[in-house]
Amino acid sequence: MLQGDPLSGILFNMVIDQVMRQIPDYLGFQLDENTLVNSMGFADDLNAITSTREGMRCLLQILDKLCPKWGLKFNAAKCRYLCMEADGRNKKMKVSTDCMFVINGSTIELVGVCGQWKYLGVYFSNNGIEPPKQMLNVWLGRLKAASLKPQQKFFILRNYRIPRLLYPLKMSPLSVTALNRLDGAIRKALTGTTGMLHLPSSTPKSFFYASVADGGLGVLCLRYSVPSMIVGRFEKLSTSNSSVVQAAIKEAAFAHRIGVARKFVLKVVGQDILAGAIRSYHRELLDSFIDTKGLVEAGKCPSVHTWVSDGTKMMTGENYCEALKIRVNALPSLSRTQRGMTSDRSCRAGCKAPETNCYVLQNCHKTHDIRVERHDRVHKRLSAFLSQRGETVNDNMTFVTMEGWRKPDVVFTTNEGTAHVVDVQIVGEYKDLDTLHKM
């Protein structure tokens, strides 16, 4: 069978299971009176575990004899061992470096006090899983330097890189400070003149963490998500039918782990907010900012926000970044740049109204022609879409009503003979969408 054949994984599991079942029960590590663990397997990796040096040597000798019967042999260059022993005087665990183990006639490399090894994409040391801060910094540096559009970089970060942090974060010692720093590093990589999205550093945090459908960027907030994931993961373990899992959760370390996670779970009015409700929390927080007032009703039209997170190729990188700034009211209007100051904020086009993004886009006389052009483009796009669907479209119809002459943008007739009247409106944020629709 060739390497990479779909059957190779299944055959390997069948063989390695036979090897693991033939390991004697007197070798291993005692979890409790009735449970002993001497090996753990995942995919093509095998961990051998014993409570003594002599037991490990005996276990390795047994594996050395069993594997050749199935056509297997260990590659000592890819094996590592960690020896931890109790230091009774100091009441601590210490890493021993004075022992040696052999497999397949070769010496296995020792993992020292400061040593690390990579297993299943995660770095381990004698302290357990290492926090992924260094790994994230490397990824962010590579993404920034990549010859990709900003939306493509953001797509990779949001959908591939951040999720890869979850396993080591859920299994390593929980630190709120470390989670906050990781969140800060991600936001810093997206903001500023050197950031991927060039957003201003004053952008509300909730804009990053609210879901795309709610008007945000949909970035996972590690500070609140990881503790809730730990609670959910460890609570599921308590319902496991495995005797090994049941023995493990009786340990004091398990109770300590879930207790620390519960301590740092997001709380609102004294109630724990777990993973399912974190989205609602960020949406409500986003709605509370002046800058994001126009996004309050974003959830009513979730389909129009897909361009934010799908890595679209339909926009240039510059247009994408500017569109995000418009979305969060981050363009440098006088009302934004002179907050906290007493200077005049009147529109620089000579208008008497305060210069806000909404006013410039919807009311200022300087942008009147551009507003008309924007309206006409939407009108033409809608007419073309309806025509492609096979509808009969009329753009120049006029109606006489009790209130006078009315000329809607589009009147189209379906194949069933039903007529629909459509009037294009591009509205501001001064009223809710339902009220504007009825006007």
Side-chain angles (χ1 to χ4, degrees):
M1 182 176 294
L2 298 177
Q3 182 177 356
D5 191 288
L7 279 176
S8 61
I10 298 174
L11 293 177
F12 176 82
N13 286 336
M14 293 171 61
V15 171
I16 204 67
D17 282 350
Q18 295 298 320
V19 173
M20 295 172 68
R21 287 170 183 164
Q22 294 184 45
I23 298 175
D25 291 338
Y26 60 83
L27 293 174
F29 181 82
Q30 201 78 35
L31 283 177
D32 61 17
E33 295 180 357
N34 303 314
T35 308
L36 181 140
V37 178
N38 51 30
S39 61
M40 295 189 300
F42 184 87
D44 60 345
D45 289 289
L46 178 66
N47 291 332
I49 308 167
T50 62
S51 55
T52 64
R53 301 184 184 189
E54 292 73 18
M56 179 57 70
R57 293 191 178 98
C58 181
L59 178 56
L60 292 176
Q61 290 176 1
I62 292 172
L63 291 174
D64 244 350
K65 294 178 180 179
L66 288 174
C67 288
K69 296 179 181 179
W70 301 91
L72 299 176
K73 65 177 181 179
F74 286 95
N75 184 355
K78 292 187 176 181
C79 297
R80 303 287 186 276
Y81 78 89
L82 176 66
C83 182
M84 300 186 69
E85 296 179 329
D87 184 355
R89 177 177 297 179
N90 297 314
K91 297 182 179 180
K92 294 181 179 180
M93 295 293 292
K94 67 177 183 180
V95 178
S96 297
T97 58
D98 58 348
C99 54
M100 183 179 70
F101 299 103
V102 177
I103 190 76
N104 196 27
S106 301
T107 303
I108 302 176
E109 183 180 339
L110 164 71
V111 177
V113 177
C114 300
Q116 289 185 340
W117 72 96
K118 192 175 183 180
Y119 179 66
L120 301 179
V122 179
Y123 286 95
F124 285 78
S125 71
N126 62 304
N127 293 318
I129 295 179
E130 289 293 304
K133 179 181 178 181
Q134 183 178 358
M135 188 164 55
L136 176 62
N137 291 335
V138 172
W139 290 344
L140 293 177
R142 290 175 179 173
L143 271 178
K144 284 184 177 182
S147 300
L148 298 171
K149 292 182 177 180
Q151 58 266 41
Q152 294 171 329
K153 295 179 182 181
F154 178 62
F155 179 84
I156 295 172
L157 175 65
R158 179 180 178 272
N159 295 286
Y160 295 101
R161 290 312 185 189
I162 294 178
R164 282 191 64 182
L165 299 174
L166 295 180
Y167 177 71
L169 287 174
K170 286 188 288 187
M171 303 308 296
S172 61
L174 181 60
S175 168
V176 172
T177 301
L179 293 178
N180 284 330
R181 287 176 178 172
L182 290 174
D183 282 331
I186 293 171
R187 291 196 305 272
K188 185 178 179 180
L190 298 175
T191 58
T193 55
T194 60
M196 299 180 204
L197 303 182
H198 304 287
L199 291 169
S201 56
S202 58
T203 302
K205 292 181 182 179
S206 55
F207 178 67
F208 295 97
Y209 303 130
S211 70
V212 173
D214 292 330
L217 293 178
V219 176
L220 189 68
C221 179
L222 301 176
R223 163 62 184 87
Y224 294 134
S225 298
V226 171
S228 67
M229 290 178 180
I230 292 174
V231 172
R233 183 187 185 99
F234 279 73
E235 283 183 343
K236 286 182 180 178
L237 290 178
S238 61
T239 62
S240 173
N241 296 324
S242 170
S243 59
V244 175
V245 173
Q246 289 297 321
I249 65 177
K250 294 176 183 178
E251 298 291 325
F254 180 89
H256 174 74
R257 176 74 170 167
I258 197 169
V260 171
R262 282 197 177 279
K263 179 181 177 182
F264 296 124
V265 165
L266 174 64
K267 292 177 174 60
V268 176
V269 197
Q271 298 293 321
D272 289 355
I273 302 297
L274 298 180
I278 291 179
R279 171 179 171 175
S280 299
Y281 168 78
H282 287 303
R283 182 184 65 246
E284 293 173 4
L285 197 60
L286 182 68
D287 295 346
S288 66
F289 287 93
I290 295 295
D291 284 343
T292 54
K293 181 181 177 181
L295 298 173
V296 170
E297 297 185 289
K300 292 184 177 180
C301 308
S303 60
V304 304
H305 308 295
T306 55
W307 63 272
V308 174
S309 58
D310 64 2
T312 176
K313 298 179 181 179
M314 304 301 292
M315 304 172 68
T316 65
E318 182 180 1
N319 286 346
Y320 178 80
C321 293
E322 293 303 310
L324 288 180
K325 291 177 183 178
I326 294 175
R327 184 179 178 85
V328 72
N329 269 331
L331 292 176
S333 64
L334 291 181
S335 293
R336 179 178 178 84
T337 58
Q338 297 187 16
R339 284 178 182 170
M341 304 180 185
T342 58
S343 53
D344 184 23
R345 300 184 188 179
S346 297
C347 179
R348 283 171 282 187
C351 311
K352 299 298 182 181
E355 184 182 288
T356 64
N357 289 338
C358 180
Y359 179 80
V360 172
L361 292 172
Q362 296 295 122
N363 303 99
C364 181
H365 68 90
K366 272 278 193 182
T367 58
H368 174 269
D369 293 343
I370 300 176
R371 286 198 299 275
V372 173
E373 182 182 353
R374 177 182 61 180
H375 172 278
D376 292 345
R377 284 186 178 184
V378 175
H379 175 197
K380 290 178 181 179
R381 181 68 63 88
L382 175 61
S383 298
F385 172 74
L386 293 172
S387 297
Q388 289 176 359
R389 284 179 47 179
E391 316 288 1
T392 302
V393 180
N394 296 286
D395 291 331
N396 299 308
M397 296 190 69
T398 304
F399 299 91
V400 180
T401 68
M402 296 290 293
E403 299 179 358
W405 292 84
R406 293 291 182 266
K407 185 179 179 181
D409 291 316
V410 178
V411 178
F412 70 95
T413 307
T414 63
N415 295 329
E416 292 78 17
T418 305
H420 298 268
V421 178
V422 179
D423 198 52
V424 176
Q425 292 186 55
I426 303 176
V427 299
E429 56 193 33
Y430 54 92
K431 289 185 180 180
D432 62 271
L433 294 177
D434 290 334
T435 301
L436 290 168
H437 177 67
K438 296 174 182 178
M439 291 177 64

